[in-house]
Amino acid sequence: MTSLTYRKVIEAIKGSAGIQAVIATRCGVDRSTINKYMIKYPELKDIIEHEKESITDLAENKLIKKLHEEEGWAIKFWLLTKGKNRGWIERPDIQI
């Protein structure tokens, strides 16, 4: 059986995208063990959430890079998700 420590869990979180199955695999334990650790050490939930947010930041940065490269799909995606208040929404083409 693998000896699990708080430090080992913290290290496993880094670069995991906050995915508990990845963290558990890196620690050599079952996912339920990570859940128990999160109950015992509530701050782990915040650390995992921070890891998830860093992945979202990375994705946003990559999208912005593609916007600057004038990639059409990126422009459309940005406008449809961030430009709604300016009227950029997809409407179904309904024919009667």
Side-chain angles (χ1 to χ4, degrees):
M1 179 171 191
T2 303
S3 175
L4 188 61
T5 64
Y6 181 83
R7 174 69 18 220
K8 190 172 187 176
V9 173
I10 294 295
E11 289 301 314
I13 292 171
K14 295 176 185 175
S16 70
I19 301 169
Q20 290 183 30
V22 172
I23 298 164
T25 299
R26 289 178 177 180
C27 291
V29 298
D30 190 84
R31 207 177 144 198
S32 64
T33 304
I34 298 301
N35 287 329
K36 289 175 189 171
Y37 246 68
M38 289 172 62
I39 293 168
K40 185 175 181 180
Y41 303 103
E43 68 274 16
L44 287 176
K45 185 176 180 182
D46 291 335
I47 296 168
I48 289 171
E49 195 57 40
H50 179 74
E51 178 66 19
K52 289 178 183 178
E53 286 296 319
S54 69
I55 296 300
T56 301
D57 291 342
L58 174 65
E60 286 179 338
N61 285 330
K62 297 285 186 180
L63 176 60
I64 290 167
K65 180 181 177 188
K66 292 300 180 183
L67 286 169
H68 288 292
E69 293 172 4
E70 299 183 7
E71 292 280 343
W73 66 266
I75 295 166
K76 181 179 178 183
F77 181 81
W78 184 271
L79 290 172
L80 291 175
T81 57
K82 300 290 186 178
K84 290 178 182 178
N85 62 332
R86 295 185 183 185
W88 289 97
I89 58 173
E90 277 190 303
R91 293 185 183 100
D93 187 18
I94 301 172
Q95 296 179 359
I96 298 179

